[in-house]
Structure formats: C-alpha cells, structure tokens
Amino acid sequence: MDASWSRKPDATRPRSLATAVYEWVDERLGLEEILALARKKTVPDHKHSFWYYWGGISLFFFFVQVFSGVLLLVYYRPGAEAYESVRQITYDVRFGWLIRSAHSWSANLMVLAVFVHMFSVYFMKAYRKPREFGWWSGMALLALTLLFGFSGYLLPMDDLAYFATKVGLEIPAALPIVGTLMTDIVRGGPEVTETTIQRFFALHVVILPLVYIPILAFHLWLVQKHGNALPPSEEAKPESERRSIPFFPDFFSLDLGMWLIALNVLSILASLYPWQLGPQADPLAPAPVGIHPEWYFMSQFQVLKVFGRWFPGAAGEALGISLFTLAIVIWAAIPLFDTRTAGGRRAQIATYFGYFALLGMIVFSIWGYFDLK
C-alpha cells in the first residue's frame, strides 16, 4: 500500500495549513506510530471471512444505542411520569418517534449481532490459546447486553413492558435461597412499581455503561493484540497457501461497508415499522393474553415452562435453573476443554455441543411462540 499520503513533506516545500496541523498533532500524539501499526496489521482472507464483520456490526449498533439513548434522555422522566414522557417523545416531540424506534430496533439488532458473533467465534475455535480471555470478556459483554435489553424494556411502562418484565423477573426469582431476595432488591419490593422504573433506569444508563465500556475496551484490545483467528479448515493449510489483506485500508473499508448496510437495515425497520407504544400499564388489570419476555429470553422462558409441566411445583423451576447454570458453566469453560489447535475428539465434542446449544435456542424459541396461551 502506498503510504506517501502520511509521510512528512519535504522541508524545502511550503507547508499547507492542514500539513502544519497534522505535524503539530503528530508530534504530541504520535499519529505516525498509530498509522504504522494499522498498516502492519493484516486480516486473514478466506471463504469464512464474512463472520469477521459481526463483531464490528455489534459495535456499530452499540454506538447507535449510545447516541439515540442520549437524545431520549433529554425528554425521558423516570418514575411516575415515565409513560407520559415516552408518549410525548413518540407523539409530540418532532422526530421523537424515529429516535425511539431506532433505539429499540438497534437494541434488538445488537443482541442478534452479538449472538451471531459469539457462535461464529465458537465454531471458528477462536477461544483457543491465546484467546481465552477474549472469549470470557465476550461472554461478559453478552450478559451485559442482555441486561441492557431487559432493563430498558420496562422504561416505557406500557402494559406489554410491565407484564413482560414481571414474567422475566420470575426467572431469577426461581433461584434457590437468593432468588426471591435478589429479585425484590431489583424491583424495590415485591411488585413492579415506580421504584422499579427508577432502579432499572439507574441500571440502564449509569451502572451498566460503567461496567460495559471498560470490558469492551479490554475485549477490543485483545482482538488487536491477538488478531483474527483462523478457522480449523484454514489453519490446516500450509502457511504459503494462506491469504491475508491489510487491515487498513482494505478490511477497514469493508467493515465500514458492513456498517453502512447495517445502518440501512436499521433505517428501514425504524421508519417503516416504528416501535409501538401500548396503553399505560395498569397493575390491577389482568395480564394480556400470550404475554412473554423478549425473543432473546424466549428459549429460557420456554424451558422453564416445559420443566414446570413435567415436574410441577418448585422442582421444575429448580431443574430448569440448574440446566441453565450448567450450560453457561460449560460454555464458559470450553477454552479449558478444547485446547488443541488440531482437530481431535475434544474438538468434535465441543463442536457438537455448539450445534446442540444453537439448535436448542432456535427450537425452544420457536416452540415458545407457538406455545403462547
């Protein structure tokens, strides 16, 4: 790649204002060192390279969340006026409906992108040495992303958000010993009230970002440090047959192209299918028919429902929670189990476990929607 655009000009030539400003900043921040590092970094180029973009797509939707969330904060009022403030944003504030719709759609698209990114990393075996901490930090980011979605879902305080949150809180409440206490602390009491909105708001806009951003920075640093992992099929090839492209500007340009596609998808969904606001929640009214949590919690919700039918009472909930916990522990410990770079029995077991987890999430989610009553 021709890097002449970043070289310092000949001292005998007159300097332009842009050149002078660049040299002034470069002298203090070391821009040339950053550019040299960017030019040195490469990204593997193969038939599975498409999956490398999903981490960047997840990051793009997070940026949209931050930008649109700050705009919503200007008008949102947590507590007793939560619903009225969201109604004003949706119907009274100019383009408020679009910002709110973009925020809600990007939240769902971000969760989807993070799931796709996680499974692509898993099946590429990108959790193996030396990328174990990249896998664990990614799992932490997934958990926080789900908490972002869950805590933000209640904030409009319409009937769907209210009753779906009540249903969602039944999952941690099923934990033995600490479940009820932990859920009461989150709710601010035995029921979902205005206090719950304030606590969810504080969690959504203060606590979670303070935890999320440092872990995200750590995760991105690990990606830069270790680079993109090769899938097993490419890793088996001789070094001479492997291809790569420069990160800057080649892969960077392609990444921005994927961001542009993601922006177009978000724009179409947010403008043509605006996020609706239901009637204000009435705690005394019966729950709407077919109430359920958001789609990314549907598989867990359905598993608990099925276990509750098979084992009535607390036994079913306990077995369901135990199953979730065991699956999460195994998922997190996979880098310690499948450690070899070459294929083997453990690698095959890990791959089959990944297929089982992915298929289970899809089947139980679809089953959950068909099983709504």
Side-chain angles (χ1 to χ4, degrees):
M1 185 186 73
D2 183 10
S4 58
W5 60 273
S6 64
R7 294 171 186 163
K8 295 182 179 179
D10 191 341
T12 60
R13 297 180 180 178
R15 296 188 306 168
S16 65
L17 178 60
T19 302
V21 171
Y22 176 84
E23 292 180 357
W24 188 88
V25 175
D26 176 42
E27 185 179 0
R28 288 155 179 80
L29 300 182
L31 297 182
E32 281 296 321
E33 298 175 7
I34 298 174
L35 291 173
L37 180 63
R39 287 191 291 268
K40 182 180 178 182
K41 179 179 172 59
T42 59
V43 177
D45 182 28
H46 47 78
K47 63 181 180 180
H48 302 292
S49 296
F50 169 75
W51 302 108
Y52 290 148
Y53 299 109
W54 286 93
I57 293 173
S58 305
L59 182 63
F60 167 76
F61 286 126
F62 175 70
F63 288 152
V64 174
Q65 286 284 281
V66 173
F67 178 72
S68 58
V70 169
L71 295 179
L72 292 174
L73 278 176
V74 176
Y75 292 97
Y76 181 75
R77 301 185 297 274
E81 297 182 333
Y83 179 83
E84 176 60 22
S85 65
V86 176
R87 189 202 63 78
Q88 291 176 353
I89 291 171
T90 307
Y91 300 110
D92 299 338
V93 177
R94 183 172 296 182
F95 295 110
W97 66 271
L98 183 60
I99 299 301
R100 175 173 173 261
S101 186
H103 190 75
S104 299
W105 273 112
S106 62
N108 283 270
L109 291 172
M110 178 181 171
V111 174
L112 176 62
V114 171
F115 271 121
V116 173
H117 179 52
M118 178 186 69
F119 278 106
S120 64
V121 167
Y122 185 93
F123 290 120
M124 281 191 181
K125 309 292 186 181
Y127 50 73
R128 289 172 171 169
K129 180 182 178 181
R131 297 180 176 87
E132 295 93 337
F133 281 98
W135 174 254
W136 292 325
S137 60
M139 284 196 63
L141 291 174
L142 171 63
L144 292 171
T145 299
L146 295 177
L147 283 175
F148 265 120
F150 183 69
S151 60
Y153 194 70
L154 174 67
L155 299 185
M157 201 54 177
D158 59 3
D159 57 349
L160 183 60
Y162 173 79
F163 287 105
T165 301
K166 289 190 67 174
V167 171
L169 286 174
E170 291 176 3
I171 297 176
L175 290 170
I177 304 174
V178 298
T180 302
L181 176 62
M182 182 177 65
T183 307
D184 286 347
I185 293 175
V186 172
R187 283 188 303 226
E191 297 293 336
V192 176
T193 62
E194 298 167 3
T195 302
T196 311
I197 300 176
Q198 294 172 340
R199 295 194 178 192
F200 273 46
F201 178 76
L203 180 68
H204 192 73
V205 305
V206 179
I207 299 174
L208 288 177
L210 285 176
V211 178
Y212 189 93
I213 292 176
I215 298 178
L216 176 61
F218 177 65
H219 186 74
L220 294 176
W221 175 75
L222 288 174
V223 173
Q224 296 305 311
K225 176 178 175 60
H226 299 303
N228 298 86
L230 286 169
S233 59
E234 292 294 319
E235 202 171 39
K237 293 181 179 179
E239 188 76 28
S240 59
E241 296 182 13
R242 300 176 187 174
R243 297 181 303 170
S244 62
I245 60 174
F247 174 80
F248 191 88
D250 299 52
F251 185 83
F252 183 73
S253 300
L254 294 172
D255 216 7
L256 289 182
M258 295 299 294
W259 283 29
L260 183 59
I261 294 174
L263 177 60
N264 278 272
V265 172
L266 174 61
S267 301
I268 291 172
L269 291 173
S271 57
L272 298 185
Y273 304 96
W275 208 261
Q276 299 299 313
L277 179 66
Q280 186 170 4
D282 181 4
L284 301 179
V289 178
I291 196 69
H292 59 85
E294 277 289 82
W295 63 269
Y296 39 85
F297 291 119
M298 180 57 80
S299 59
Q300 301 94 309
F301 176 69
Q302 182 63 18
V303 168
L304 284 180
K305 185 188 292 187
V306 171
F307 271 79
R309 293 172 184 169
W310 292 348
F311 308 97
E317 294 181 346
L319 285 173
I321 293 295
S322 299
L323 179 64
F324 295 150
T325 304
L326 178 62
I328 292 172
V329 170
I330 295 175
W331 198 255
I334 253 333
L336 305 178
F337 175 79
D338 181 15
T339 58
R340 297 182 181 179
T341 55
R345 181 173 176 79
R346 289 194 174 192
Q348 292 178 348
I349 293 174
T351 300
Y352 291 143
F353 179 72
Y355 288 144
F356 177 78
L358 178 59
L359 183 63
M361 285 187 61
I362 295 174
V363 169
F364 276 99
S365 295
I366 296 174
W367 184 6
Y369 281 102
F370 277 103
D371 197 33
L372 292 175
K373 295 179 182 180

